[in-house]
Amino acid sequence: MVSTRLDCARIRAALRNIDPVFLHTPLYQCDALGNELGCTVSIKLETANPVRSFKARGTELVASMLTDQGRTAAVCASAGNLGQALAWSGRRRGLDVTVVAARRAPAAKLERIQALGARLELVDGDFEMARERAVDIARERGIRLVEDSLDIETCEGAATIGLELAGGPASFDAVLIALGGGAMATGVGHVLKTLSPDVEVICVQPVGAPAMTHSWHRRRVVTTDSTDTIADGVAGRYPIPEVLDDLIAVADDAVLVHETSIVTGMRMLLERAGLVVEPSAALGVAAILEDRERFAGRHVATIICGSNVDPEAYHRWIRS
């Protein structure tokens, strides 16, 4: 039995509180991609939904819980995807949602947050600065602070992806998971290590935002002074101790990949799979590109976790 903050019974029960539009997402083998990478590649597509990322699996649980508690407002810090997801889930339940984001976050994500009815407050600096401001707002207004990865609902919502992977028709040798704050990695990892313990759980992070990966390898929290990556969705600097403990329990490995591999992965997903993805969603493909021998001949699943990308930046990257 895997020992983390998560619980498989709660994860299964969570399915009742998540809008079906976010569940049972496509899972399919992509031969064109696999042939080029030298292994069998299956794609778990978490972008074919109203917020174009996996995040709403968690915010659906958070918003449902807040409604049951009679709460009427919430605030979160977001690099973009969590804010959209909380705005969507909150609007559906009549919650007043405030999202704090870095001013330099992708414009497409910020515009979508506002379009979904949330208040948007921008701060100078990065995600960690947005998190500090969100804490202040929660205290000033006496409202619920939603903290991705620390709040167990965000992890157990993401963990429902693991139920779908473990319950699918195919068996995998490894699952590649983008690693940022850790909600998806710990959630999916917990389920796989409980239901399919032989599957290798590999977390992937950019070289330019390595805090959680360094922390996993050293078995203690390691922070960084800054981040430098196009994968804004995973660019945290301060790992959460409780989340790191969960990650240590469920991950078999954590690897770092370079920006050039992320861009190549995005291009390959467009050309071989017909998918427009944000950089974080290409981390799994980038990991295979940088270590082809490790994955040769194996069946690997990669979770395509988001497609909220600025069109101008996207075209610049894939043409580089």
Side-chain angles (χ1 to χ4, degrees):
M1 180 67 69
V2 180
S3 178
T4 72
R5 296 177 300 146
L6 287 75
D7 179 81
C8 277
R10 287 200 308 263
I11 294 165
R12 291 190 178 93
L15 296 170
R16 298 194 294 268
N17 291 316
I18 300 174
D19 190 300
V21 74
F22 299 109
L23 299 173
H24 306 297
T25 53
L27 172 62
Y28 59 94
Q29 186 172 314
C30 183
D31 292 336
L33 191 59
N35 289 341
E36 186 161 342
L37 291 172
C39 58
T40 301
V41 177
S42 285
I43 285 172
K44 180 62 170 164
L45 189 63
E46 291 295 307
T47 62
N49 62 56
V51 299
R52 297 188 291 194
S53 82
F54 77 97
K55 293 288 188 180
R57 291 182 184 249
T59 59
E60 283 287 274
L61 298 188
V62 171
S64 177
M65 178 189 64
L66 293 178
T67 301
D68 290 345
Q69 294 173 347
R71 307 289 288 269
T72 60
V75 59
C76 74
S78 175
N81 286 348
L82 178 71
Q84 292 179 68
L86 186 60
W88 193 95
S89 297
R91 183 174 69 175
R92 180 168 171 254
R93 295 169 175 83
L95 295 174
D96 179 8
V97 173
T98 299
V99 178
V100 185
R103 199 175 306 278
R104 66 189 190 194
K109 294 183 178 182
L110 300 180
E111 291 168 4
R112 185 60 178 158
I113 289 169
Q114 291 180 300
L116 288 166
R119 302 183 194 185
L120 177 64
E121 181 170 326
L122 300 179
V123 299
D124 294 322
D126 61 9
F127 172 78
E128 303 301 346
M129 301 299 291
R131 179 191 284 176
E132 291 177 11
R133 178 56 186 152
V135 171
D136 290 341
I137 291 173
R139 182 173 57 250
E140 293 164 3
R141 295 173 52 192
I143 62 176
R144 169 64 188 271
L145 173 65
V146 177
E147 294 194 78
D148 197 20
S149 303
L150 178 60
D151 288 351
I152 197 65
E153 296 83 10
T154 63
C155 302
E156 293 187 338
T160 59
I161 300 171
L163 292 178
E164 294 169 18
L165 286 168
S171 58
F172 307 107
D173 297 306
V175 174
L176 296 164
I177 309 171
L179 178 61
M184 182 166 62
T186 59
V188 174
H190 178 92
V191 171
L192 291 177
K193 286 306 172 187
T194 301
L195 302 181
S196 304
D198 293 335
V199 175
E200 189 177 18
V201 174
I202 304 171
C203 305
V204 190
Q205 204 166 36
V207 166
M212 187 62 100
T213 295
H214 287 332
S215 298
W216 183 87
H217 282 283
R218 298 180 191 179
R219 297 318 201 236
R220 61 176 176 82
V221 170
V222 177
T223 63
T224 61
D225 294 330
S226 62
T227 60
D228 183 16
T229 178
I230 62 172
D232 59 284
V234 294
R237 294 189 285 121
Y238 302 134
I240 299 169
E242 297 92 330
V243 182
L244 175 60
D245 289 342
D246 292 341
L247 188 69
I248 290 170
V250 302
D252 294 296
D253 199 4
V255 301
L256 297 173
V257 296
H258 296 87
E259 299 294 291
T260 53
S261 298
I262 297 172
V263 171
T264 300
M266 293 171 68
R267 188 182 302 117
M268 290 179 67
L269 283 163
L270 175 65
E271 296 174 350
R272 305 303 180 200
L275 298 174
V276 174
V277 305
E278 61 188 79
S280 299
L283 289 171
V285 174
I288 302 173
L289 284 167
E290 292 201 4
D291 199 351
R292 289 175 179 267
E293 185 176 344
R294 175 177 186 173
F295 299 103
R298 304 177 74 193
H299 190 171
V300 181
T302 184
I303 301 172
I304 305 300
C305 55
S307 63
N308 290 297
V309 64
D310 181 79
E312 183 177 339
Y314 178 81
H315 288 298
R316 184 173 66 252
W317 291 329
I318 64 170
R319 289 171 182 165
S320 61

